[in-house]
Amino acid sequence: MLNVGIVGLGRMGQRHAEQLALRTRGARLAAACSPVESERAWAQRELGVSALYDDFAALLRDPQLQAVAIVTPTTLHAEQTIAALEAGKHVFCEKPLALEVAACERVEAVARRHPELVAMVGFVRRFDRHYQEAKAQIDAGRVGRPFLVRSQSCDMNDPDGFFVRFAPTSGGIFLDCSVHDIDVARWMLGKPKALRVFASGTIALHPGLAACGDVDNGLAIVEFEGGARGQFYASRTMAHGFDTNTEVIGTAGSVSVGVGGQRDRVQSRDAAGVHHRVLVDFVERFSEAFQREMTAFVAACTGQAAAPLALSDATEATRIAVAITRSLNSGQVEAVV
Amino acid sequence: MLNVGIVGLGRMGQRHAEQLALRTRGARLAAACSPVESERAWAQRELGVSALYDDFAALLRDPQLQAVAIVTPTTLHAEQTIAALEAGKHVFCEKPLALEVAACERVEAVARRHPELVAMVGFVRRFDRHYQEAKAQIDAGRVGRPFLVRSQSCDMNDPDGFFVRFAPTSGGIFLDCSVHDIDVARWMLGKPKALRVFASGTIALHPGLAACGDVDNGLAIVEFEGGARGQFYASRTMAHGFDTNTEVIGTAGSVSVGVGGQRDRVQSRDAAGVHHRVLVDFVERFSEAFQREMTAFVAACTGQAAAPLALSDATEATRIAVAITRSLNSGQVEAVV
Amino acid sequence: MLNVGIVGLGRMGQRHAEQLALRTRGARLAAACSPVESERAWAQRELGVSALYDDFAALLRDPQLQAVAIVTPTTLHAEQTIAALEAGKHVFCEKPLALEVAACERVEAVARRHPELVAMVGFVRRFDRHYQEAKAQIDAGRVGRPFLVRSQSCDMNDPDGFFVRFAPTSGGIFLDCSVHDIDVARWMLGKPKALRVFASGTIALHPGLAACGDVDNGLAIVEFEGGARGQFYASRTMAHGFDTNTEVIGTAGSVSVGVGGQRDRVQSRDAAGVHHRVLVDFVERFSEAFQREMTAFVAACTGQAAAPLALSDATEATRIAVAITRSLNSGQVEAVV
Amino acid sequence: MLNVGIVGLGRMGQRHAEQLALRTRGARLAAACSPVESERAWAQRELGVSALYDDFAALLRDPQLQAVAIVTPTTLHAEQTIAALEAGKHVFCEKPLALEVAACERVEAVARRHPELVAMVGFVRRFDRHYQEAKAQIDAGRVGRPFLVRSQSCDMNDPDGFFVRFAPTSGGIFLDCSVHDIDVARWMLGKPKALRVFASGTIALHPGLAACGDVDNGLAIVEFEGGARGQFYASRTMAHGFDTNTEVIGTAGSVSVGVGGQRDRVQSRDAAGVHHRVLVDFVERFSEAFQREMTAFVAACTGQAAAPLALSDATEATRIAVAITRSLNSGQVEAVV
């Protein structure tokens, strides 16, 4: 039984906390840390967590913990991961690992000094059975040599523009959303080195984003060494729902994941035609994958399975997303450095 | 160049007239017959037909005609086909050939005495490239041994109930609509002999049908010799459009035609979900097939190709549809005799 | 915390046992009964069940139990349900409740004497969120007045014909499979009284079924009072997978559940076209619904929610399925009595 | 009756010749011009064209002609269009109008001096009923304000690489293929001015393209004034067929055309899953649109309808495609000039 402490009990943090407390075999949610009193009370009341902290350093000193799940704002990810590793804890950290490459590399350096510890970043699509099926088909040669990944992360529009408030610290649409697509592209293409990027964006519905240089619809092209290409689209303004999908094109075929975004197995017909509903958000789409992700983390911590992602995957995803973001700002092609 | 005369210039008649006049290579619409003056005027004005008749016998005496297309009310089909054959004309007759088996058999007897003449009934699905592709897959063994055909003919509801007025002479929903499905089932299954049938129906929207014992939604099961089965559904009351499709199930797979009934290649998405439109009517669905049907008839008349259907196919379709209609009325299983 | 004992640890029994032991909040799998020693050992080893019985009467005497889940062969369902109720236990019983109407009615009579106890039959589709969404659309009036349910239960072919061995006690394809469709039809149509039925079947791949009068593909039509109709198809021989779906047709539209049977969100394209996989079996399709079903049962037992189904629903489903089976054997229309 | 002469009897030329000769009401194919003797013989034999020329200037002197269809290699389009206009003929010219903007502008200048003549470039998608339905939905406000068009033109791979031989004169993949998508994007977005572009490409299967700087898979982003964006993908290497589609995304919804690329209404199921075929080529996809395109041209020439496209549409499409091609070569963002 792995004793895990969680830091961060916001929307995503609560989900991960529930996974650990209720649905992850071999794990026990032994401690929780949040600066918000009501969040700590929630963990105690709903999940029975008794060790509660308002200070991350204090949580790290809790001797019962073997692992930590970091679900705090992105700007804290890297330093908290470093601190946890140095405290001898396995680390699960939500994506992205950091908004700067240098921070990612500092984490990697610390992790290299602790080869006995698992450090894993939450690229949840790696644990989604649909993405895994696509990857299996690619590995089996069914698309020939994959050379193009087209991938999108499109959220249903929130008329209240809730996310606008987080824009200043999110790193922008590409670091916040496309980082998933970037990781998927690297995974599907066999981890080629990214060379150059170009990005362009527009503000369709949320002018408040302009203040921090962000957009609500962004397009990017990534050139990889060896000729492979990535094409990414991220949107905050979909009218119809959460529409996140990926297509991998190869010399002998292609495979797609998630196209259509059907919410359920129901179809309606009336005088206006045929209709179906679309997924509402990433929680609905990836709930099973979140569960499998945490199970994989626990299995890696307890030595039952290898860690499914390397920290360098997170570094490379940030490296590419940072270059894309730089291109969005400069309006020019940018090298991936 | 085959000189064809047409009798009947109602809705279907006008379509066939246009096919013959404008879009059927090797054919010329040389004469037209209708008791309605405005219809004859239409043929002259729109299609340039100069030989116009209000009497079918007169049309048959027109020496320039080698072939006749019969698109009159069903109750006239059999006797007009007989008269045309006896006048030495090839015959295309709209489905069904007749509402009674005995009439079909009389036509067959006459046709046997005129082996030099083509006599073909318009089961248009035989000429639809989608149905032909399905048939080709079956013939290629892709479904194994086909043993079940499920087929439906469902019209969009006409709130005016136009068809109710024709119900007394249409032969009822099974003879009018399901006769297509019955022919398709026989075609796909390799023409097994039908043994027994059961039918049940309901009136959902058009109480006026009760007077003539008809229904606006009908279900039927047909038992064929050797174990194959047919399951048919006909409706006049679809809200969403013309939804006609067929599924052929075999021991190694299945193939379907027309499921979904998409009207076009357009898909719309908005806050209510994902939407597409559905075909409006059989004209929209089968316009290309009507063209190919008439081309095949002309090719058979001019000796360039064999007639794609035998008259006995029409007889058998009527035989089964008559038994189904009898079952609808009796409420009991009926033998196909 | 509801202490539940389970009887029957075959394929379905093990699944329900796991649900109760691991995934049903508010429940504890406190005891298990099976005549098979290895199955009892499994329950102890995998689920930590300590109270193990080889005799159902002994399990019923276990004072810690408030509820019993009956997952035994169908022929035992009714008597075990009666015994459990008389022992003062809430009962969850797998479908069908019995193969004869009289047995169902005996259970109902006993249950009426124990209004304080929950007795629920496992019509799992009632708990499936897709079927619930369809039902909600119907209740909201989106299809107008529903008057036709077409529903199928089609299993992927098992070349070993495993199920053939169970055919003699399963009650036949309609009682074993279509009973789900029958219950769905009653639910969607608002529980109309069934009047008459007709059934027909064929053996496509499993001649061994002939010995007990069963078929591997069966068709049925049910006539309900008031004009509504049901059309059912059950098959054991699908080549492509588990293809279970339902369409409810109304005067203003229709809604379908499960059409297509997609296994996942993956689509593949190659020189042969576009491809996707289909669900393998009911476990894959309904795993979430099984979980919600047991949760609903526990909630009813603990008084947190009303029982979502009445015992009379199970009686009526059996009544109709029995009449259909009688029609399959007699070859004639049968009254539902 | 409009007398039309055609120049160019290659693959596309033959199709247009057939349209004019056989399927375009109000038009007569009165003359044909080709340097290839066998092509002229084909026009005479198959289409009954009596006036045959091997010299375009001679065809222009044919006094019976009111209109000319230009279906020659792209490098000839502009000068032949100018010559035809100066000879007083209406002109239909295949896309693209020219590979350089200056040439397009020269044509426009000449056309302005002949306002009595129709000059129309063959952007066939404008005449496709599916694209027209999408445009109608946009015009009706169903997607809100459209701000992003994603459009692709993807051909099935030709293992023989036939097109590689034409690469040196085709203008490259963007001028040859994406020019359609560019025109569609301008049409759907309301003709915004294009400002900047970026392109990237790769050679997946046809190394012979490298010699002329072309690619077999190309990606491009176009920035329009006012914030709208275009994202284009062109491929010569699809394994599964002709997969050309467009998605228009707006502030209140989106509409797509052609997604899926189904060849027919047939679906097959077997042990490997569910399958359908995909369109083979643009001829199969757009045959009806080609017919409507020529009908629209003839209607414009005879004054029955306005010309559906302006020459400036062709100029702008070339202008953008040229900038994209320049970006492909330079590897940098390019201004649209």
Side-chain angles (χ1 to χ4, degrees):
Chain A
M1 192 63 73
L2 187 81
N3 284 319
V4 187
I6 195 165
V7 56
L9 290 172
R11 187 188 183 199
M12 273 302 290
Q14 293 194 5
R15 288 201 65 78
H16 282 304
E18 287 174 337
Q19 296 289 2
L20 285 163
L22 304 173
R23 287 186 291 269
T24 308
R25 280 217 219 182
R28 196 172 74 90
L29 184 62
C33 173
S34 166
V36 183
E37 214 252 306
S38 63
E39 292 179 356
R40 294 195 303 272
W42 172 88
Q44 186 168 37
R45 185 181 69 246
E46 296 295 325
L47 306 178
V49 179
S50 51
L52 299 168
Y53 302 93
D54 60 2
D55 172 43
F56 183 55
L59 176 130
L60 288 185
R61 285 191 299 269
D62 189 328
Q64 65 175 332
L65 302 182
Q66 290 112 37
V68 173
I70 298 172
V71 204
T72 51
T74 298
T75 46
L76 300 176
H77 288 179
E79 297 319 314
Q80 289 184 332
T81 299
I82 287 172
L85 289 170
E86 290 182 338
K89 315 293 189 194
H90 301 293
V91 179
F92 169 86
C93 179
E94 252 308 320
K95 50 62 47 182
L97 178 53
L99 300 179
E100 304 89 31
V101 175
C104 294
E105 290 174 339
R106 280 201 305 278
V107 177
E108 280 200 71
V110 174
R112 268 194 299 275
R113 293 203 305 271
H114 295 280
E116 77 286 5
L117 296 177
V118 172
M120 182 176 125
V121 173
F123 287 118
V124 67
R125 295 186 202 173
R126 298 251 192 166
F127 304 92
D128 179 63
R129 65 184 179 89
H130 313 277
Y131 275 95
Q132 289 179 345
E133 164 66 19
K135 174 65 168 152
Q137 291 190 12
I138 292 167
D139 289 349
R142 285 193 53 184
V143 307
R145 175 175 60 82
F147 64 85
L148 174 59
V149 172
R150 298 196 294 172
S151 193
Q152 70 180 48
S153 291
C154 295
D155 289 338
M156 182 151 58
N157 187 52
D158 171 6
D160 298 334
F162 184 75
F163 69 93
V164 177
R165 267 174 283 156
F166 292 89
T169 57
S170 75
I173 196 168
F174 294 115
L175 268 153
D176 194 30
C177 301
S178 304
V179 75
H180 280 298
D181 303 289
I182 292 166
D183 181 62
V184 164
R186 291 186 67 252
W187 182 36
M188 297 289 175
L189 292 170
K191 305 197 180 181
K193 184 174 159 54
L195 302 175
R196 303 187 336 140
V197 304
F198 175 71
S200 182
T202 194
I203 293 178
L205 285 173
H206 298 283
L209 292 170
C212 55
D214 202 2
V215 293
D216 57 17
N217 280 266
L219 302 166
I221 292 173
V222 176
E223 296 179 341
F224 292 99
E225 198 170 44
R229 296 290 180 265
Q231 188 191 49
F232 305 115
Y233 173 41
S235 174
R236 309 282 198 186
T237 65
M238 291 289 106
H240 62 298
F242 179 76
D243 196 351
T244 285
N245 58 62
T246 300
E247 185 183 12
V248 183
I249 299 173
T251 50
S254 62
V255 58
S256 66
V257 184
V259 172
Q262 275 85 353
R263 190 176 193 192
D264 52 38
R265 297 178 182 276
V266 176
Q267 196 182 60
S268 311
R269 296 173 214 91
D270 58 28
V274 177
H275 319 281
H276 70 258
R277 302 190 307 167
V278 174
L279 290 159
V280 169
D281 60 15
F282 75 95
V283 171
E284 195 171 59
R285 170 65 180 83
F286 290 111
S287 62
E288 185 191 338
F290 280 120
Q291 197 168 334
R292 299 178 66 187
E293 177 183 68
M294 203 51 88
T295 300
F297 171 65
V298 170
C301 294
T302 55
Q304 295 168 287
L309 289 112
L311 264 187
S312 59
D313 289 322
T315 304
E316 293 311 307
T318 289
R319 193 189 306 278
I320 295 169
V322 163
I324 290 173
T325 304
R326 205 161 57 231
S327 175
L328 179 69
N329 292 331
S330 73
Q332 298 303 324
V333 177
E334 296 283 344
V336 179
V337 289
Chain B
M1 191 63 72
L2 187 80
N3 284 318
V4 186
I6 194 165
V7 56
L9 291 172
R11 189 189 182 197
M12 274 301 291
Q14 292 194 6
R15 288 201 65 80
H16 282 304
E18 287 174 337
Q19 296 289 1
L20 285 163
L22 305 173
R23 289 185 290 270
T24 309
R25 280 217 218 182
R28 196 172 75 88
L29 184 62
C33 174
S34 167
V36 183
E37 213 253 304
S38 63
E39 292 179 355
R40 294 195 303 273
W42 171 87
Q44 185 168 38
R45 185 180 68 247
E46 298 293 326
L47 306 179
V49 179
S50 51
L52 300 167
Y53 302 94
D54 60 1
D55 172 44
F56 183 55
L59 176 129
L60 288 184
R61 285 191 299 268
D62 189 329
Q64 65 174 333
L65 302 182
Q66 291 112 35
V68 174
I70 297 171
V71 204
T72 51
T74 297
T75 46
L76 300 175
H77 287 178
E79 297 318 314
Q80 289 185 331
T81 299
I82 288 171
L85 289 170
E86 290 181 336
K89 315 293 189 196
H90 301 293
V91 179
F92 169 85
C93 180
E94 252 309 320
K95 49 62 51 181
L97 179 52
L99 300 178
E100 304 88 32
V101 175
C104 295
E105 290 174 340
R106 280 200 304 278
V107 177
E108 280 200 69
V110 174
R112 267 194 298 276
R113 293 203 306 270
H114 295 279
E116 77 286 5
L117 296 176
V118 172
M120 181 175 125
V121 174
F123 286 118
V124 67
R125 295 186 202 172
R126 298 250 193 166
F127 303 93
D128 178 64
R129 65 184 178 88
H130 313 276
Y131 276 95
Q132 289 180 343
E133 164 67 18
K135 174 65 168 152
Q137 291 190 12
I138 292 167
D139 289 349
R142 286 192 52 183
V143 308
R145 175 175 61 82
F147 64 85
L148 174 59
V149 171
R150 298 196 293 173
S151 192
Q152 70 180 47
S153 291
C154 295
D155 288 338
M156 181 150 59
N157 187 51
D158 172 5
D160 297 335
F162 184 74
F163 70 94
V164 176
R165 267 174 282 156
F166 291 89
T169 57
S170 75
I173 196 167
F174 294 115
L175 269 152
D176 194 30
C177 301
S178 304
V179 74
H180 281 297
D181 302 290
I182 293 166
D183 181 62
V184 164
R186 289 187 68 251
W187 183 36
M188 298 289 176
L189 292 171
K191 305 196 181 182
K193 183 173 159 54
L195 302 176
R196 303 188 336 141
V197 304
F198 175 71
S200 181
T202 193
I203 293 179
L205 286 172
H206 298 282
L209 292 170
C212 56
D214 202 1
V215 293
D216 57 17
N217 281 265
L219 303 165
I221 292 173
V222 176
E223 297 179 340
F224 292 98
E225 197 171 46
R229 295 291 180 264
Q231 187 192 48
F232 305 116
Y233 173 41
S235 174
R236 309 282 197 186
T237 65
M238 292 287 106
H240 62 298
F242 179 76
D243 196 351
T244 285
N245 59 60
T246 300
E247 185 183 12
V248 184
I249 299 173
T251 50
S254 62
V255 58
S256 66
V257 184
V259 172
Q262 274 86 353
R263 190 176 192 190
D264 52 37
R265 297 178 182 276
V266 177
Q267 196 182 60
S268 310
R269 296 174 214 90
D270 58 28
V274 177
H275 319 280
H276 70 257
R277 302 190 306 167
V278 173
L279 290 159
V280 168
D281 59 16
F282 74 96
V283 171
E284 195 171 59
R285 170 65 180 85
F286 290 111
S287 63
E288 185 191 338
F290 280 119
Q291 197 169 333
R292 298 179 68 186
E293 176 183 67
M294 203 51 88
T295 300
F297 171 65
V298 170
C301 293
T302 56
Q304 296 168 289
L309 290 111
L311 265 187
S312 59
D313 290 321
T315 305
E316 294 312 308
T318 290
R319 192 189 307 277
I320 296 169
V322 163
I324 290 173
T325 305
R326 207 162 55 233
S327 175
L328 178 69
N329 292 330
S330 72
Q332 297 304 323
V333 177
E334 295 283 344
V336 179
V337 290
Chain C
M1 191 65 70
L2 187 79
N3 284 319
V4 186
I6 194 164
V7 56
L9 291 172
R11 188 188 182 197
M12 273 303 289
Q14 294 194 4
R15 288 201 65 81
H16 282 303
E18 286 173 338
Q19 296 290 2
L20 285 163
L22 306 173
R23 288 186 289 270
T24 309
R25 283 217 217 182
R28 197 172 74 88
L29 184 61
C33 173
S34 166
V36 183
E37 213 253 305
S38 63
E39 292 178 358
R40 295 194 302 272
W42 171 88
Q44 185 168 39
R45 186 180 67 246
E46 297 293 326
L47 306 179
V49 179
S50 52
L52 299 168
Y53 302 94
D54 60 1
D55 172 45
F56 183 56
L59 177 130
L60 288 184
R61 286 191 299 268
D62 189 329
Q64 65 175 332
L65 301 182
Q66 290 112 37
V68 173
I70 298 172
V71 203
T72 50
T74 297
T75 45
L76 301 175
H77 287 178
E79 298 316 315
Q80 290 185 331
T81 299
I82 288 172
L85 289 170
E86 291 181 336
K89 316 293 188 195
H90 301 293
V91 179
F92 169 87
C93 179
E94 253 307 320
K95 46 63 51 183
L97 178 54
L99 301 179
E100 305 87 33
V101 175
C104 296
E105 291 174 340
R106 279 200 306 277
V107 177
E108 281 200 70
V110 173
R112 269 193 298 273
R113 295 203 305 269
H114 295 278
E116 77 285 5
L117 295 177
V118 172
M120 179 175 127
V121 173
F123 286 117
V124 67
R125 295 186 203 173
R126 298 251 192 165
F127 303 93
D128 180 64
R129 66 184 177 89
H130 313 277
Y131 275 95
Q132 289 179 344
E133 164 68 18
K135 175 66 168 150
Q137 291 190 12
I138 292 166
D139 289 349
R142 286 192 51 183
V143 308
R145 175 175 60 83
F147 64 85
L148 174 59
V149 172
R150 298 195 294 172
S151 192
Q152 69 180 48
S153 292
C154 294
D155 289 338
M156 182 151 57
N157 187 50
D158 171 5
D160 298 335
F162 184 75
F163 70 92
V164 176
R165 265 174 283 158
F166 291 89
T169 57
S170 75
I173 196 166
F174 294 115
L175 269 153
D176 195 30
C177 302
S178 304
V179 74
H180 281 297
D181 303 290
I182 292 165
D183 180 63
V184 164
R186 290 186 68 252
W187 183 34
M188 297 290 175
L189 292 170
K191 306 197 181 181
K193 182 173 160 55
L195 301 176
R196 304 189 333 142
V197 303
F198 176 70
S200 182
T202 194
I203 294 179
L205 285 172
H206 299 282
L209 293 170
C212 55
D214 202 2
V215 294
D216 56 17
N217 280 265
L219 302 165
I221 292 172
V222 175
E223 297 179 341
F224 293 97
E225 198 171 43
R229 295 290 179 265
Q231 187 192 48
F232 305 116
Y233 173 41
S235 174
R236 309 282 198 184
T237 66
M238 292 288 107
H240 62 298
F242 179 76
D243 196 351
T244 285
N245 58 63
T246 300
E247 185 182 11
V248 183
I249 299 174
T251 50
S254 62
V255 59
S256 65
V257 184
V259 172
Q262 275 84 352
R263 190 177 192 191
D264 51 37
R265 296 178 183 276
V266 177
Q267 196 183 61
S268 311
R269 296 172 214 91
D270 58 28
V274 177
H275 319 282
H276 69 257
R277 302 190 308 168
V278 174
L279 291 159
V280 169
D281 59 16
F282 75 95
V283 172
E284 196 171 59
R285 170 65 180 84
F286 290 111
S287 62
E288 185 190 339
F290 280 119
Q291 198 169 332
R292 300 179 66 186
E293 177 183 67
M294 203 52 87
T295 300
F297 171 65
V298 171
C301 293
T302 56
Q304 296 169 286
L309 289 111
L311 264 187
S312 60
D313 290 320
T315 304
E316 292 313 307
T318 289
R319 192 189 307 276
I320 296 169
V322 163
I324 291 173
T325 305
R326 206 163 56 232
S327 174
L328 178 70
N329 292 331
S330 73
Q332 298 304 323
V333 176
E334 296 283 344
V336 179
V337 290
Chain D
M1 190 63 72
L2 187 81
N3 284 319
V4 187
I6 194 165
V7 57
L9 291 172
R11 189 188 182 198
M12 274 302 289
Q14 292 193 6
R15 287 200 67 80
H16 282 303
E18 287 174 338
Q19 297 288 3
L20 284 163
L22 306 173
R23 288 186 289 269
T24 309
R25 280 218 218 183
R28 196 172 75 89
L29 184 62
C33 174
S34 166
V36 183
E37 213 252 306
S38 63
E39 292 178 357
R40 295 194 302 272
W42 171 87
Q44 186 168 38
R45 186 181 66 247
E46 297 294 325
L47 307 179
V49 179
S50 51
L52 300 167
Y53 302 94
D54 59 1
D55 173 45
F56 182 56
L59 177 130
L60 289 184
R61 285 190 299 269
D62 189 329
Q64 66 174 332
L65 302 181
Q66 291 112 37
V68 174
I70 297 172
V71 203
T72 50
T74 297
T75 46
L76 301 175
H77 287 178
E79 296 318 315
Q80 289 184 333
T81 298
I82 288 172
L85 290 170
E86 290 181 337
K89 315 293 189 195
H90 302 294
V91 179
F92 169 86
C93 180
E94 252 308 319
K95 49 65 46 184
L97 178 53
L99 300 179
E100 303 88 32
V101 174
C104 294
E105 291 174 339
R106 280 200 304 278
V107 177
E108 281 201 70
V110 174
R112 268 193 298 273
R113 294 202 306 271
H114 295 279
E116 77 286 5
L117 296 176
V118 172
M120 179 175 128
V121 173
F123 287 117
V124 67
R125 295 185 202 172
R126 298 250 193 166
F127 303 93
D128 179 65
R129 66 183 178 89
H130 313 277
Y131 276 95
Q132 289 179 343
E133 165 67 19
K135 174 66 168 152
Q137 291 190 11
I138 292 167
D139 289 349
R142 287 193 50 184
V143 308
R145 175 176 60 83
F147 65 85
L148 173 61
V149 172
R150 298 196 294 172
S151 192
Q152 69 179 48
S153 291
C154 295
D155 289 338
M156 181 152 58
N157 187 51
D158 172 6
D160 297 335
F162 183 75
F163 70 92
V164 177
R165 266 174 281 157
F166 292 89
T169 58
S170 75
I173 196 166
F174 293 115
L175 269 153
D176 195 30
C177 301
S178 303
V179 74
H180 280 298
D181 303 290
I182 292 166
D183 181 62
V184 164
R186 291 187 67 252
W187 182 36
M188 298 289 175
L189 292 171
K191 304 197 181 182
K193 183 174 159 56
L195 302 176
R196 304 189 332 143
V197 303
F198 175 70
S200 181
T202 194
I203 294 179
L205 284 173
H206 298 283
L209 292 170
C212 55
D214 202 3
V215 294
D216 57 16
N217 280 267
L219 302 165
I221 293 172
V222 175
E223 297 179 341
F224 292 98
E225 199 170 45
R229 296 290 180 265
Q231 187 191 50
F232 304 116
Y233 173 41
S235 173
R236 310 281 198 185
T237 66
M238 292 288 106
H240 62 298
F242 179 76
D243 195 352
T244 285
N245 59 61
T246 300
E247 185 183 11
V248 183
I249 299 173
T251 50
S254 62
V255 58
S256 66
V257 183
V259 172
Q262 275 85 351
R263 190 176 192 191
D264 51 37
R265 296 178 183 276
V266 177
Q267 196 183 60
S268 310
R269 296 174 215 91
D270 57 29
V274 177
H275 319 281
H276 70 257
R277 301 190 307 167
V278 174
L279 290 159
V280 169
D281 59 17
F282 75 96
V283 171
E284 195 170 60
R285 170 65 180 83
F286 290 110
S287 62
E288 186 190 339
F290 280 119
Q291 198 168 332
R292 300 179 66 186
E293 176 183 68
M294 203 52 88
T295 300
F297 171 65
V298 170
C301 293
T302 56
Q304 296 168 288
L309 289 112
L311 264 188
S312 60
D313 290 321
T315 304
E316 293 313 306
T318 290
R319 193 189 306 277
I320 296 169
V322 162
I324 290 173
T325 305
R326 206 162 56 232
S327 174
L328 179 69
N329 292 330
S330 72
Q332 298 302 326
V333 177
E334 296 282 345
V336 179
V337 290

